[in-house]
Amino acid sequence: MRGDVPSIVAVATFLYEYAKVSGLYANPYKTSVYYGGVSQEVKYQIGALTGYSEDQFPFRYLGITMNPGRLARGMFQAMVDKVQASIQHLTGNLLSYVGKLQLINSVLFGLENYWCSTLLLPKVVAKLVNKLCKNYFWGTPSGQRKTTFQSWGSIFALWQEGGFN
């Protein structure tokens, strides 16, 4: 919204009307206002109208770093760390290739999709996550490849038969 008092009054009115209908009220102790290019006087007026405190960027919401500026690789380190932790946890399991593939599709890419639903991932982060998943699938998390002996018939077999389709 615009950083002026009439805009804040309109939003506060909407939130009040919504709260009357739904019974869901914004908790002023958990709610913050983030400003950009607003004078101190307007900040004071908005704070007095809403009762919300001022906070600064970047902040974390549901484990995701929120920032109004350009998204850097370092902001996604938490996601990369979660993927690595998941892989470290999963390495003890002796799974077939199909089991590993299913695990990657459901768990690891599910985590990436959760982040992508909120933010646009930089290419370098997406490539890093794909590399981690590829290393888990074909070898070890440390990046060492292990020799695989598979017949072409088992690789090109149907999914239902344990192949890669």
Side-chain angles (χ1 to χ4, degrees), residues 26-32 51-53:
N27 186 341
Y29 300 110
K30 294 181 179 180
T31 307
S32 300
Y52 303 148
S53 62

Side-chain angles (χ1 to χ4, degrees), residues 86-95 136 141:
S86 296
I87 288 174
Q88 291 293 330
H89 178 70
L90 300 172
T91 55
N93 299 338
L94 298 174
L95 298 173
Y136 170 68

Side-chain angles (χ1 to χ4, degrees), residues 3-164:
D4 59 358
V5 175
S7 175
I8 300 299
V9 168
V11 170
T13 303
F14 172 78
L15 289 175
Y16 177 73
E17 293 297 323
Y18 177 78
K20 282 191 340 188
V21 172
S22 68
L24 301 172
Y25 293 90
N27 186 341
Y29 300 110
K30 294 181 179 180
T31 307
S32 300
V33 179
Y34 298 87
Y35 298 102
V38 177
S39 68
Q40 288 295 336
E41 181 183 336
V42 173
K43 287 181 184 181
Y44 177 76
Q45 290 174 344
I46 291 172
L49 270 171
T50 61
Y52 303 148
S53 62
E54 178 183 359
D55 207 351
Q56 301 293 322
F57 284 106
F59 67 95
R60 295 180 66 81
Y61 178 71
L62 297 177
I64 299 174
T65 303
M66 298 293 183
N67 192 4
R70 184 181 170 100
L71 301 174
R73 177 183 176 179
M75 295 176 65
F76 295 94
Q77 191 59 43
M79 182 194 76
V80 172
D81 291 343
K82 283 187 179 185
V83 170
Q84 282 179 328
S86 296
I87 288 174
Q88 291 293 330
H89 178 70
L90 300 172
T91 55
N93 299 338
L94 298 174
L95 298 173
S96 66
Y97 286 107
V98 176
K100 284 184 180 182
L101 188 63
Q102 184 65 32
L103 201 58
I104 288 171
N105 284 335
S106 62
V107 176
L108 300 178
F109 283 141
L111 183 64
E112 185 180 10
N113 286 336
Y114 167 71
W115 281 66
C116 286
S117 68
T118 309
L119 304 167
L120 291 173
L121 288 181
K123 273 187 182 179
V124 68
V125 175
K127 285 182 180 180
L128 179 61
V129 170
N130 286 335
K131 181 180 176 184
L132 292 171
C133 292
K134 182 177 72 171
N135 287 342
Y136 170 68
F137 183 75
W138 289 112
T140 62
S142 63
Q144 296 175 336
R145 289 249 172 139
K146 60 182 181 182
T147 307
T148 58
F149 298 102
Q150 294 287 324
S151 68
W152 284 108
S154 67
I155 290 175
F156 287 106
L158 294 175
W159 182 268
Q160 294 83 0
E161 297 172 5
F164 294 112

